[in-house]
Amino acid sequence: MNSVKIDAKNNLEAVKAQPKAKAEQSSDAATPPIEQTSAPATDKLSVSARANTINELVARANELPEIRQERVAALRERIQSGDYRPDAGDIADAILKDEQP
């Protein structure tokens, strides 16, 4: 088995394990050796069609502006003209909803 040594200066050094002496090998006779394959293992990731759709929708939503200027301008106009009269109960409900974890 290979290992890594770290010296006092935090330098890394790969160390190959030395073969065991015959006396030591006989005591490990019950443990079969671990075979190493030459081909590396490959990982695969598959994503469902629903996940692809969600990713596309999120990307499209991220393209939208954070502040909708048309809506802001329309509300500003209504406030200045005195036509905007929000319900106090709706405002309180929205504040409370926003404060809940």
Side-chain angles (χ1 to χ4, degrees):
M1 180 175 182
N2 296 335
S3 62
V4 175
K5 280 187 181 179
I6 302 175
D7 65 14
K9 296 180 183 178
N10 289 331
N11 294 322
L12 299 176
E13 177 185 348
V15 179
K16 286 191 175 185
Q18 300 297 322
K20 293 183 179 182
K22 287 187 179 186
E24 289 176 326
Q25 287 178 350
S26 64
S27 66
D28 290 339
T31 307
I34 299 174
E35 292 184 27
Q36 294 182 347
T37 60
S38 59
T42 57
D43 294 332
K44 290 185 179 181
L45 173 69
S46 61
V47 181
S48 69
R50 182 179 173 133
N52 285 331
T53 302
I54 291 170
N55 285 336
E56 289 173 15
L57 292 173
V58 167
R60 286 174 49 193
N62 287 335
E63 292 173 2
L64 296 173
E66 192 168 321
I67 299 173
R68 296 181 292 173
Q69 295 299 331
E70 314 84 41
R71 179 117 169 102
V72 172
L75 285 171
R76 182 177 289 133
E77 187 177 313
R78 287 183 61 199
I79 291 169
Q80 289 173 349
S81 69
D83 291 338
Y84 185 67
R85 294 186 187 7
D87 180 72
D90 291 342
I91 294 172
D93 289 341
I95 291 171
L96 291 174
K97 182 180 178 184
D98 193 46
E99 293 297 320
Q100 292 178 355

